[in-house]
Amino acid sequence: MARVRWATIRHPANSSKAILRRLSARRGPQNPRLETIGENFGGENPATHGGEDLRDENELKLEERRTIYVNVPVDEVDLDEDRLIRHRYPRNKIRTAKYTPLSFVPKNLWYQFHNVANLYFLLLVILQCFSIFGATNPGLSAVPLIVIVVITAIKDAIEDWRRTVLDNQVNNTPTRRLGLWHNANATDEQVGVWRRIKKATSRLIRKLNAQRKGQVGDPLDLDRITTRPSADMVRRSADLRRSMDLLRRSESRAHGEESILKPMAGNEYEADFAPMQHNVGDVIDKTRQTPGKAEWERTYWKNVRVGDFVRLRNDDAIPADVVVLATSEADSACYVETKNLDGETNLKIRHGLRAASKIKTPLDCEAASFIIESEGPSPHLYNYSALARWTERDELDPSKFEEKLEPISAETLLLRGCTLRNTAWVIGIVVFTGDDTKIMQNAGVTPSKRSRIARELNWTVLSNFVLLFIMCVVCGTANGIYLDDQTSTFNVFDMGAEAGGPAVAGVVTFFTCLILFQNLVPISLYISIEIVKTAQAYFIYSDLDMYHAELDYPCTPKSWNISDDLGQIEYVFSDKTGTLTQNVMEFKKCTINGIPYGEAYTEAMAGIAKRQGHDIVAMRERELQRVSEDRASMLQQLRQQRNRYLLEDELTFVSSTFIRDMNGHNGETQAEACKQFMLALALCHTVLVERDPQNRQRLIYKAQSPDEAALVATARDLGFPMPERTQRGVVIEHESCRREYVLMDELEFNSSRKRMSIIVRKPDGGIRLYCKGADSVIFARLAEDQKTSVRQDTARDLDIFANEGLRTLCIAYRDLSEQHYADWSKQHRVAAASLSNREEKIAESCDEIERELVLLGGTAIEDRLQDGVPEAIALLGEAGIKLWVLTGDKVETAINIGYSCNLLDTDMEVVQMACDKPETAASLLSMHLGKFNLVGSPEELKVARHDHAPPSSKTALVVDGDTLKLLLHDDLRTRFLLLCKQMKAVLCCRVSPAQKAEVVRMVKLGLDVMTLSIGDGANDVAMIQQADVGIGIAGVEGRQAVMSSDYAIGQFRFLTKLLLVHGRWSYRRLAEMIACFFNKNIVWTFTLFWYQIYDQFDGQYHFDYTYILLYNLAFTSLPIIFMGAFDQDVSARVSMKVPQLYMRGILRKDWRPMKFWSYMIDGLYASAICFFFPFLLYNASGRGTFIQQDGHTNNSLVELGAYIAHPTVLVVNTFVLINTSRWDWLFMLIWAISNLLLWLWTGIYAQFEANPQFYHLASHVYGSLTFWAVLLVTVVAALLPRFCIIAYRSLYAPQDADIVREQVKLGYFGDEFTGAAKSDSSEGASETPSFDKHHPGAANGSGSSGRTNPFVDEADASADGHSFSRADARPSSWGTSPPTSQEGSDRVELVKKGDTLSTATCISTPAPVYGPRTSRQQ
């Protein structure tokens, strides 16, 4: 056996009852032994769960844990009165869809009317069904609500249908399970009549679709489906002969090369060199009488049940959570890919039960007898505890039986959704199905987020509710007073109130006005916002500038409802490895026996040179030339070696000196040290090896981390390749001699150990332990007789490597005697088989043998910066965004990466805080706060919450994880936050995922700012979910961060356009759209309210009822939606060239209460003009009439309504138009169509006699000259104040964007920015979102889809070369010196108060400030 993971514990036969008491889930929790088992059942693991208290969850697991019987009679306690198993486990059929065909309508309506707004509008529809409230057509009044509900239902149905299709694909995936065998854990499923009808209907539909496509039969017939999608995998039957043939072939198979090693001198493959064999027992009862009928049968995933035997083949997906029993490998190991579970593409190793490793055939499955005591369903992916127990005859006395048990951990569990790789077959037993599986337990864990505007919108809607209530109360009260006045002439025309007395009539009028003024709380606002945000999400997804061709990955919005938050981000929290860097590791340097090797010029070295004032361009050229010359010399020496696996193009380690020393130029001692060092790199890992099908000499290493792959690849290129793994260990080929190192034990790496070790038997028979890990861990475990000089030199070299921005590891070894290893191995097996505190005991056992190490040296690996990171960080800084780096790397490495990526500058003072006591931390905070004249009081924090300016100091703060733990304490948190607020940059090093999330939470809540977190690994998920916006980078570490994020991108540099362009646009568009929406509803509602003054407030309306219904639905909806989706104040390129424009979003100037109320007051004024102008002129002309030339008098109420409605619709649509920054042909067409819809509807509807009062109204009104005169005067008078405000602001108090727009027109940004006259479609295409889902242009590297988008031009002009802009109409007298920005002048004052960007004052200066930046800046 190659690995010894678990051992078994023997108990005398008379102790079986004691075992039942200890292990049975049916006994009460009062048994102390049972409680200790409960601790192991997914107990608290701070490293995995962030230190959360899991006691309640553990108690729940104890209650829900299950016993799985395999060919063993079920205990009486687990049987019900019908002698069937008591527990009912869920089906393996999953349903992520919310609805079924029958439940869709009632369930969807139930969900929709959970929205308070929908309930409110439903109440209004119900009220209108009663004629007492004055509604003339209740059916028509329900149309808007019906339209909204239907549109939402259609959207929900489409989304749910897609989920249903995916569910059906998963549920109907074929697999193999053991058939003709009784599973005691599942009862025969009773299929009801309704399910039979559904199944028959589904089969009929599939057959009809198949016939339409020319196929015969049911496409889901198992006889027509292959078990695996891979066509090149040969199908083998499940009978004994072929299974044993496959086993024999797999035993001779090596992972890297399918050949059998031939013995060489000094390398006899004898059993003496193999690991010790342990009597682990066997769950197969050879004396058991079996029917012998069982065989592997093909079935669907949805038919798999708890307790079933399943057989998986290479490349099969795992149908349920399965405990591995046996595999095709001799050591019962298998390899799985967890990409669908956690996003990681690296292969993971899983091991089968030792006692079940002999199960190969269906006959073996029938003969196996055992029980699995398992924990209950749990969402923890990396924790699992269970126990297998069985009875076995005593070898010495067959009449006696032994009770044996073997622990089961997460390393024995295959999770649903994973994929089997590099393993011929696996036999397992199902323990969790359906919703109990871990992948389903983790479904929906991402928290729901709402944008800031959406949260603040509730208050604006509430204020409108209050206003509506006041209006209704006024009308109801006034109407009651009028009815109660017996002297009023009102009683002459109204013969008593229909509802009774004045008080009751006032109540009726209240509800009547509630219906009449319902548009004040717009039902269409919510659906309009959803439409706009959906369009914004699609434009983000379609932007080719954020498309990563290498991964074929566009920017993918996952939360569509927070796009406006992207325009208000003030703090960005970033991981380093894989986020700022590529996470592509390159071996650069090493130190062996105290001597450093390696020539490299890293980005961090360039940062150091920049900090020291050197000419980095000239230095870079010199250093690269020197490295190139040394590389050529090194390759010349390597070609003389007999290494057929050398890959010259992939060689990253450059040191001709190392090759000479390894060949003995520096003595035999150093030569041997170099060889042992490289041998350690080639052995101490968990890397898998494959061969390139095109070139068999090309070895491809697949590792769980990029670091391991880089180390093994370097050993390969320097003469110590690992061409294959055998069933017993690893083969190393050196100087054409192949030697096998038998793997005895593997002590795995984890975040708490910070090291990994392997124990191998060398070809000469000796046993050696190799260990690699962090320098602090390895140095603490070195032998006392280790040479002090070697230790000191190695430590010095590692510090130099870290200062150069390289990631370091230490390499050491220890020789073990046979007796020492045997004693330790026995102790380690006992620890592995422990039922309580298993992980701690294993860690103690590993720590015991990882002592007395001999230091070989250290490695240094570079993780290069991603393309464009320095420029992106500089651009974000110019926009006023503060960037903090939260990383797990060393302090020195993080600092140097900070310099190389422009986060730190040469003139900055870097303050490092490191302490281990709260008192020291408090004194350090006081000292540093004193430099800024602060004491850290809550009052100072209140002031800081209103200060959004970048810190004026040139200071950066660096904190390590241990110190951060002290600083995040409640007593020091406020002072620490205030200190960080004064820093230009903050770097937190050696921090845990929980600390990352806590830092984000501290800033978000403490400063009341918008935060964004960006990362690429599973350790970044906590801070991604904590921030207002979470960004996941699809990188090398997997895609768990992507799956938990709100937006996913391929590179860090794409963040700049996502924020500065799409984020700023989305925030500005949505803020303007919402304000205009409330304005237009105020205008319409108050034209109805003003009429009540002349109608005794009885709720009468002067519009035709169709006007009221169609106002929000048709007449005024499109212009405002198009403004929210497509408006641009400046183009994408100008937004990137002038990042200071983003500051307006940080200051939240585009959406604030003052703007809301100013638009409401504007609407109130416009409503008065739109009503009183026609109404007063109407009364003044002919005493209440407009007389036409043909003698017809326009004196009816509906004709008065037409005189008022037409200018009202034109005013609100034109109000949207003049508040829109960019007038292109599409927007002008939509604006014109929306206005003409009112004329068209009036003309068409007036031709029918259904409404006698409206009959021929169009010819009467439109044929009157007075109508057109009133229309013109009313529109001009209503819009004149807003037009004057816009003109005054543009001339005397322009915003930053106004000045930049003028500068664009004057050509300060180059000819390509001057507008429509000089733009072409090819320019627009590069920044126009492509409507091609697959990005054909980006895929071929052109950077453009070759198509322009005439609907949304993200550049300066529309695709047809025409653009309308208010900037065209600005006075030419401005010349080259446009007026100073009002924002800029405010900022000069605010800077003194610490309220905004000090650098933003430049926006008020003439154009040279905004000229094109240098190529480096771009």
Side-chain angles (χ1 to χ4, degrees):
M1 296 184 181
R3 298 176 181 83
V4 179
R5 293 285 177 178
W6 309 114
T8 54
I9 302 175
R10 299 189 180 190
H11 299 271
N14 56 9
S15 66
S16 59
K17 294 182 179 179
I19 292 177
L20 285 175
R21 285 196 298 271
R22 286 201 306 270
L23 301 178
S24 175
R26 301 171 297 279
R27 301 296 183 255
Q30 67 274 12
N31 192 313
R33 185 64 174 172
L34 193 61
E35 292 177 358
T36 59
I37 295 175
E39 293 175 2
N40 193 38
F41 281 6
E44 184 174 343
N45 187 346
T48 305
H49 306 294
E52 297 177 0
D53 186 4
L54 301 178
R55 287 173 294 178
D56 294 339
E57 185 176 342
N58 293 337
E59 293 174 1
L60 185 62
K61 287 184 182 180
L62 281 172
E63 296 175 1
E64 295 182 353
R65 67 185 186 277
R66 58 188 59 184
T67 303
I68 300 172
Y69 299 90
V70 182
N71 296 323
V72 174
V74 179
D75 288 347
E76 292 291 333
V77 184
D78 281 342
L79 295 176
D80 58 17
E81 58 275 7
D82 297 327
R83 307 297 297 172
L84 298 175
I85 193 164
R86 186 182 304 276
H87 302 286
R88 296 292 187 268
Y89 303 116
R91 298 178 63 200
N92 202 40
K93 182 178 181 178
I94 62 153
R95 175 179 291 164
T96 60
K98 292 182 181 180
Y99 312 106
T100 64
L102 282 182
S103 68
F104 176 78
V105 173
K107 204 170 182 179
N108 186 262
L109 290 176
W110 173 258
Y111 284 135
Q112 287 202 55
F113 284 101
H114 271 66
N115 187 335
V116 178
N118 285 351
L119 281 178
Y120 165 72
F121 293 115
L122 178 63
L123 173 64
L124 296 182
V125 171
I126 294 174
L127 290 176
Q128 292 176 77
C129 294
F130 300 96
S131 59
I132 193 173
F133 296 118
T136 58
N137 194 332
L140 281 177
S141 64
V143 169
L145 180 62
I146 293 173
V147 170
I148 300 301
V149 170
V150 169
I151 291 176
T152 305
I154 292 174
K155 179 179 72 72
D156 293 343
I158 293 174
E159 293 178 355
D160 207 65
W161 170 253
R162 292 174 179 172
R163 286 192 289 264
T164 301
V165 170
L166 294 176
D167 288 346
N168 290 335
Q169 291 176 355
V170 172
N171 293 327
N172 292 310
T173 302
T175 189
R176 289 177 180 270
R177 71 172 180 179
L178 192 66
L180 301 178
W181 168 79
H182 176 62
N183 181 2
N185 304 280
T187 58
D188 292 335
E189 194 173 359
Q190 300 296 328
V191 180
V193 176
W194 172 242
R195 280 190 58 195
R196 292 182 181 181
I197 294 175
K198 288 198 301 181
K199 288 176 178 289
T201 305
S202 299
R203 284 194 296 268
L204 178 61
I205 293 175
R206 289 197 301 267
K207 288 182 179 179
L208 292 176
N209 289 335
Q211 291 178 2
R212 183 173 55 83
K213 297 178 181 179
Q215 301 175 356
V216 179
D218 188 352
L220 287 184
D221 190 347
L222 284 170
D223 294 333
R224 298 169 52 85
I225 300 178
T226 57
T227 304
R228 296 191 303 277
S230 303
D232 58 335
M233 298 301 298
V234 180
R235 299 295 169 199
R236 303 176 177 90
S237 65
D239 57 68
L240 176 62
R241 180 182 61 81
R242 295 194 179 184
S243 296
M244 296 306 295
D245 178 65
L246 180 61
L247 174 63
R248 286 192 296 270
R249 280 196 276 170
S250 67
E251 288 178 343
S252 65
R253 180 175 63 85
H255 294 298
E257 185 177 26
E258 309 239 350
S259 62
I260 301 177
L261 293 175
K262 297 181 179 179
M264 302 177 64
N267 187 29
E268 291 115 3
Y269 300 160
E270 299 177 358
D272 294 340
F273 290 168
M276 292 184 299
Q277 301 291 327
H278 306 289
N279 182 14
V280 296
D282 192 353
V283 298
I284 299 178
D285 185 358
K286 298 181 176 59
T287 63
R288 176 182 173 84
Q289 298 295 324
T290 60
K293 297 181 179 180
E295 62 181 18
W296 299 114
E297 66 177 14
R298 284 185 293 179
T299 186
Y300 299 127
W301 278 22
K302 62 184 179 184
N303 297 329
V304 173
R305 303 171 297 178
V306 171
D308 277 347
F309 284 96
V310 293
R311 190 168 192 247
L312 308 171
R313 298 172 182 261
N314 190 37
D315 293 334
D316 275 355
I318 314 300
D321 289 354
V322 176
V323 169
V324 180
L325 300 178
T327 74
S328 58
E329 309 298 320
D331 60 350
S332 289
C334 63
Y335 303 91
V336 294
E337 182 182 74
T338 60
K339 180 172 61 176
N340 292 335
L341 196 65
D342 57 15
E344 298 185 12
T345 57
N346 303 313
L347 300 184
K348 313 291 192 304
I349 300 177
R350 297 292 181 263
H351 299 273
L353 293 178
R354 296 298 182 184
S357 60
K358 296 181 181 179
I359 296 179
K360 311 294 181 184
T361 67
L363 299 179
D364 295 337
C365 295
E366 282 189 306
S369 301
F370 59 95
I371 292 175
I372 295 180
E373 297 281 352
S374 170
E375 68 175 30
S378 167
H380 302 313
L381 299 177
Y382 309 109
N383 278 358
Y384 179 69
S385 291
L387 195 69
R389 59 183 177 90
W390 68 98
T391 302
E392 191 172 333
R393 292 182 183 273
D394 195 308
E395 296 178 357
L396 301 178
D397 187 357
S399 62
K400 295 182 179 180
F401 292 89
E402 297 174 333
E403 192 78 15
K404 293 189 175 183
L405 37 105
E406 181 175 351
I408 303 174
S409 70
E411 290 191 358
T412 316
L413 189 68
L414 300 182
L415 301 182
R416 177 187 176 120
C418 300
T419 305
L420 188 67
R421 301 293 188 196
N422 291 4
T423 308
W425 54 264
V426 166
I427 295 176
I429 197 81
V430 177
V431 291
F432 296 116
T433 54
D435 293 335
D436 285 349
T437 57
K438 291 186 179 291
I439 190 172
M440 296 304 296
Q441 291 279 313
N442 279 275
V445 297
T446 303
S448 177
K449 297 181 181 180
R450 296 181 64 204
S451 69
R452 190 181 192 98
I453 288 183
R455 296 194 300 267
E456 295 176 352
L457 184 62
N458 290 335
W459 294 104
T460 59
V461 172
L462 181 61
S463 64
N464 275 26
F465 267 114
V466 172
L467 180 60
L468 174 63
F469 179 79
I470 293 174
M471 293 168 62
C472 294
V473 168
V474 169
C475 290
T477 304
N479 183 249
I481 293 174
Y482 271 108
L483 288 176
D484 192 48
D485 186 5
Q486 301 298 326
T487 63
S488 173
T489 58
F490 179 77
N491 293 305
V492 177
F493 301 99
D494 194 334
M495 304 302 295
E498 183 179 352
V504 178
V507 174
V508 172
T509 302
F510 174 88
F511 287 104
T512 301
C513 292
L514 193 66
I515 298 171
L516 183 63
F517 304 146
Q518 60 180 288
N519 284 332
L520 194 62
V521 182
I523 186 175
S524 55
L525 173 62
Y526 298 98
I527 194 65
S528 299
I529 291 176
E530 291 298 321
I531 293 173
V532 167
K533 289 188 175 183
T534 301
Q536 291 171 351
Y538 183 74
F539 298 152
I540 291 173
Y541 172 78
S542 303
D543 193 336
L544 292 180
D545 289 342
M546 296 189 293
Y547 173 73
H548 191 38
E550 183 178 345
L551 296 177
D552 188 23
Y553 201 83
C555 179
T556 306
K558 295 177 176 293
S559 298
W560 291 13
N561 60 336
I562 60 172
S563 58
D564 49 293
D565 279 351
L566 292 171
Q568 307 171 70
I569 300 299
E570 185 172 352
Y571 282 86
V572 171
F573 300 91
S574 174
D575 180 36
K576 184 186 77 67
T577 304
T579 304
L580 301 178
T581 61
Q582 299 177 13
N583 203 16
V584 176
M585 307 301 176
E586 295 181 354
F587 191 109
K588 291 295 185 181
K589 295 186 178 184
C590 66
T591 175
I592 303 173
N593 200 27
I595 300 178
Y597 297 98
E599 300 292 342
Y601 185 71
T602 65
E603 292 167 328
M605 294 172 67
I608 295 174
K610 177 182 177 182
R611 187 166 71 252
Q612 295 174 349
H614 297 295
D615 184 354
I616 60 174
V617 176
M619 179 176 288
R620 178 182 178 85
E621 293 179 355
R622 291 195 304 270
E623 291 295 323
L624 292 180
Q625 178 64 27
R626 183 173 58 83
V627 172
S628 177
E629 293 173 356
D630 195 59
R631 177 185 178 87
S633 175
M634 179 183 181
L635 288 176
Q636 186 176 1
Q637 298 178 59
L638 286 175
R639 294 188 186 107
Q640 297 175 4
Q641 297 180 356
R642 291 175 293 177
N643 182 10
R644 54 179 174 160
Y645 300 110
L646 170 64
L647 298 178
E648 297 182 3
D649 295 338
E650 297 184 7
L651 181 63
T652 60
F653 176 66
V654 177
S655 177
S656 58
T657 305
F658 173 82
I659 303 300
R660 290 195 297 268
D661 286 357
M662 191 169 62
N663 293 333
H665 286 70
N666 197 13
E668 290 300 325
T669 301
Q670 186 64 22
E672 183 62 23
C674 292
K675 293 179 180 179
Q676 289 299 323
F677 182 84
M678 285 299 154
L679 181 61
L681 297 185
L683 290 174
C684 189
H685 56 78
T686 58
V687 173
L688 303 178
V689 59
E690 294 181 354
R691 290 180 181 266
D692 189 342
Q694 307 298 328
N695 181 7
R696 299 292 295 173
Q697 301 300 322
R698 182 184 180 89
L699 302 180
I700 302 174
Y701 293 130
K702 293 188 174 182
Q704 296 191 34
S705 71
D707 303 70
E708 275 198 335
L711 296 175
V712 180
T714 299
R716 173 201 63 198
D717 294 333
L718 298 184
F720 290 84
M722 181 192 69
E724 57 187 305
R725 280 184 179 270
T726 66
Q727 301 295 345
R728 303 193 307 172
V730 175
V731 173
I732 302 298
E733 182 176 312
H734 178 58
E735 295 180 349
S736 300
C737 181
R738 296 160 65 88
R739 293 181 175 86
E740 183 186 32
Y741 291 81
V742 179
L743 184 60
M744 310 289 284
D745 273 292
E746 178 185 307
L747 312 181
E748 295 182 347
F749 173 89
N750 60 45
S751 58
S752 59
R753 282 168 38 80
K754 297 182 180 179
R755 64 190 183 278
M756 78 155 292
S757 301
I758 63 165
I759 302 175
V760 298
R761 187 181 293 277
K762 299 184 294 183
D764 60 7
I767 300 176
R768 175 170 288 185
L769 177 144
Y770 288 100
C771 183
K772 67 180 180 183
D775 52 0
S776 59
V777 175
I778 300 299
F779 277 113
R781 286 165 172 74
L782 295 179
E784 294 182 359
D785 58 352
Q786 176 77 38
K787 290 183 179 180
T788 305
S789 60
V790 174
R791 181 185 302 197
Q792 292 176 348
D793 293 342
T794 302
R796 178 202 62 208
D797 293 337
L798 292 179
D799 287 340
I800 294 175
F801 296 160
N803 289 330
E804 294 174 352
L806 303 177
R807 299 159 60 97
T808 59
L809 281 177
C810 276
I811 310 295
Y813 74 93
R814 178 185 183 183
D815 288 321
L816 304 173
S817 64
E818 291 284 351
Q819 186 61 42
H820 186 184
Y821 173 73
D823 295 341
W824 174 85
S825 180
K826 181 178 179 180
Q827 175 186 345
H828 189 64
R829 294 197 309 275
V830 173
S834 175
L835 297 179
S836 62
N837 300 323
R838 182 188 302 168
E839 299 297 332
E840 291 80 358
K841 292 179 180 179
I842 292 177
E844 292 175 1
S845 175
C846 295
D847 183 71
E848 179 182 341
I849 201 168
E850 293 171 329
R851 295 283 180 178
E852 301 299 318
L853 301 176
V854 177
L855 183 63
L856 282 173
T859 63
I861 296 177
E862 181 186 18
D863 187 7
R864 299 180 61 85
L865 286 175
Q866 294 182 10
D867 295 337
V869 166
E871 294 80 4
I873 292 177
L875 201 61
L876 293 176
E878 293 178 33
I881 298 173
K882 296 86 173 176
L883 177 68
W884 292 18
V885 174
L886 312 178
T887 179
D889 280 346
K890 287 183 176 181
V891 172
E892 297 82 3
T893 304
I895 290 176
N896 287 293
I897 291 296
Y899 279 108
S900 61
C901 70
N902 281 350
L903 182 64
L904 304 179
D905 205 348
T906 55
D907 57 350
M908 279 188 182
E909 176 190 358
V910 179
V911 176
Q912 296 189 37
M913 291 188 64
C915 56
D916 55 1
K917 295 182 180 179
E919 297 81 9
T920 308
S923 62
L924 287 175
L925 284 175
S926 299
M927 180 184 67
H928 292 301
L929 283 171
K931 299 177 181 178
F932 302 99
N933 298 320
L934 298 173
V935 296
S937 64
E939 292 75 16
E940 291 173 337
L941 181 60
K942 290 181 180 179
V943 175
R945 289 166 68 97
H946 300 285
D947 178 12
H948 300 280
S952 57
S953 68
K954 293 288 187 178
T955 311
L957 179 65
V958 180
V959 183
D960 60 48
D962 295 333
T963 306
L964 184 63
K965 184 177 181 181
L966 300 175
L967 297 175
L968 290 177
H969 194 271
D970 292 340
D971 298 336
L972 303 177
R973 183 190 300 262
T974 299
R975 299 164 66 187
F976 175 59
L977 178 58
L978 276 171
L979 179 62
C980 293
K981 185 75 170 63
Q982 313 307 315
M983 297 295 167
K984 196 76 172 179
V986 177
L987 287 84
C988 299
C989 309
R990 295 293 192 187
V991 292
S992 66
Q995 286 178 319
K996 291 182 178 182
E998 187 61 26
V999 170
V1000 175
R1001 183 174 183 272
M1002 175 189 71
V1003 175
K1004 181 176 73 171
L1005 300 181
L1007 297 178
D1008 188 28
V1009 294
M1010 300 296 294
T1011 58
L1012 180 147
S1013 293
I1014 180 170
D1016 72 317
N1019 60 333
D1020 303 317
V1021 170
M1023 73 170 183
I1024 284 175
Q1025 294 184 347
Q1026 183 62 243
D1028 294 291
V1029 179
I1031 307 291
I1033 291 184
V1036 178
E1037 286 192 19
R1039 299 195 176 178
Q1040 190 163 346
V1042 167
M1043 293 188 294
S1044 303
S1045 65
D1046 302 307
Y1047 292 86
I1049 58 179
Q1051 293 274 283
F1052 180 86
R1053 68 179 185 271
F1054 298 151
L1055 183 64
T1056 57
K1057 188 169 188 183
L1058 182 63
L1059 296 183
L1060 304 184
V1061 177
H1062 292 285
R1064 197 181 71 83
W1065 278 349
S1066 297
Y1067 169 63
R1068 183 186 173 280
R1069 288 166 174 171
L1070 200 65
E1072 194 67 34
M1073 186 198 80
I1074 294 175
C1076 289
F1077 218 106
F1078 282 111
N1079 173 273
K1080 78 182 183 71
N1081 284 284
I1082 280 287
V1083 173
W1084 181 259
T1085 303
F1086 269 86
T1087 55
L1088 293 168
F1089 180 77
W1090 301 133
Y1091 179 70
Q1092 304 307 309
I1093 300 174
Y1094 301 96
D1095 194 37
Q1096 287 77 39
F1097 295 93
D1098 67 348
Q1100 177 68 26
Y1101 45 87
H1102 50 289
F1103 296 136
D1104 184 80
Y1105 197 67
T1106 58
Y1107 283 179
I1108 298 176
L1109 294 179
L1110 296 177
Y1111 175 76
N1112 272 325
L1113 197 63
F1115 300 152
T1116 61
S1117 59
L1118 289 182
I1120 202 165
I1121 290 177
F1122 270 72
M1123 180 184 73
F1126 302 117
D1127 190 27
Q1128 297 178 22
D1129 53 351
V1130 295
S1131 69
R1133 286 172 290 178
V1134 174
S1135 296
M1136 296 293 287
K1137 282 185 172 292
V1138 191
Q1140 290 87 352
L1141 292 175
Y1142 188 84
M1143 192 66 195
R1144 189 171 178 84
I1146 295 176
L1147 297 174
R1148 304 169 197 166
K1149 285 193 172 184
D1150 283 328
W1151 177 252
R1152 50 177 53 187
M1154 181 61 69
K1155 178 174 183 176
F1156 167 74
W1157 288 113
S1158 68
Y1159 275 56
M1160 294 282 283
I1161 294 173
D1162 198 316
L1164 191 65
Y1165 163 80
S1167 69
I1169 296 298
C1170 290
F1171 174 79
F1172 286 106
F1173 268 38
F1175 184 81
L1176 296 179
L1177 290 173
Y1178 189 88
N1179 284 337
S1181 301
R1183 295 184 179 180
T1185 62
F1186 284 116
I1187 303 176
Q1188 301 183 28
Q1189 293 181 355
D1190 60 359
H1192 176 77
T1193 57
N1194 295 337
N1195 57 2
S1196 68
L1197 187 63
V1198 293
E1199 290 172 333
L1200 171 63
Y1203 271 75
I1204 297 174
H1206 285 73
T1208 301
V1209 170
L1210 189 57
V1211 163
V1212 297
N1213 284 337
T1214 308
F1215 184 87
V1216 173
L1217 179 68
I1218 64 176
N1219 282 283
T1220 301
S1221 299
R1222 182 166 176 269
W1223 300 355
D1224 58 14
W1225 65 268
L1226 179 61
F1227 182 77
M1228 296 303 297
L1229 177 64
I1230 294 298
W1231 177 83
I1233 290 176
S1234 297
N1235 290 315
L1236 289 176
L1237 277 177
L1238 177 59
W1239 271 263
L1240 291 175
W1241 172 256
T1242 303
I1244 295 173
Y1245 188 48
Q1247 304 305 313
F1248 299 95
E1249 299 181 2
N1251 188 348
Q1253 295 180 349
F1254 208 82
Y1255 187 59
H1256 285 171
L1257 180 137
S1259 59
H1260 295 163
V1261 173
Y1262 297 159
S1264 173
L1265 181 61
T1266 57
F1267 168 80
W1268 301 103
V1270 168
L1271 179 69
L1272 177 62
V1273 173
T1274 303
V1275 171
V1276 172
L1279 294 176
L1280 186 61
R1282 173 56 54 177
F1283 183 81
C1284 293
I1285 291 173
I1286 293 175
Y1288 175 84
R1289 189 187 64 188
S1290 299
L1291 290 171
Y1292 302 106
Q1295 297 179 3
D1296 295 341
D1298 296 330
I1299 295 179
V1300 172
R1301 285 161 58 87
E1302 182 67 18
Q1303 291 175 333
V1304 170
K1305 301 301 294 184
L1306 295 175
Y1308 286 111
F1309 295 92
D1311 293 340
E1312 71 273 16
F1313 293 97
T1314 56
K1318 299 183 180 180
S1319 65
D1320 56 30
S1321 59
S1322 62
E1323 284 185 20
S1326 64
E1327 295 189 357
T1328 299
S1330 169
F1331 279 66
D1332 186 356
K1333 180 179 180 181
H1334 301 290
H1335 307 285
N1340 61 24
S1342 65
S1344 172
S1345 65
R1347 301 165 55 191
T1348 59
N1349 178 5
F1351 298 98
V1352 188
D1353 184 6
E1354 305 292 344
D1356 305 87
S1358 58
D1360 64 350
H1362 296 285
S1363 178
F1364 299 90
S1365 172
R1366 279 209 324 271
D1368 297 343
R1370 290 187 181 139
S1372 59
S1373 59
W1374 283 9
T1376 58
S1377 299
T1380 301
S1381 165
Q1382 183 61 41
E1383 294 178 27
S1385 60
D1386 287 346
R1387 287 177 184 172
V1388 176
E1389 299 176 3
L1390 290 174
V1391 166
K1392 299 175 184 178
K1393 303 175 184 178
D1395 209 9
T1396 187
L1397 269 175
S1398 59
T1399 57
T1401 56
C1402 68
I1403 205 153
S1404 63
T1405 62
V1409 175
Y1410 291 110
R1413 296 191 304 277
T1414 63
S1415 59
R1416 183 191 68 80
Q1417 292 172 315
Q1418 295 179 26

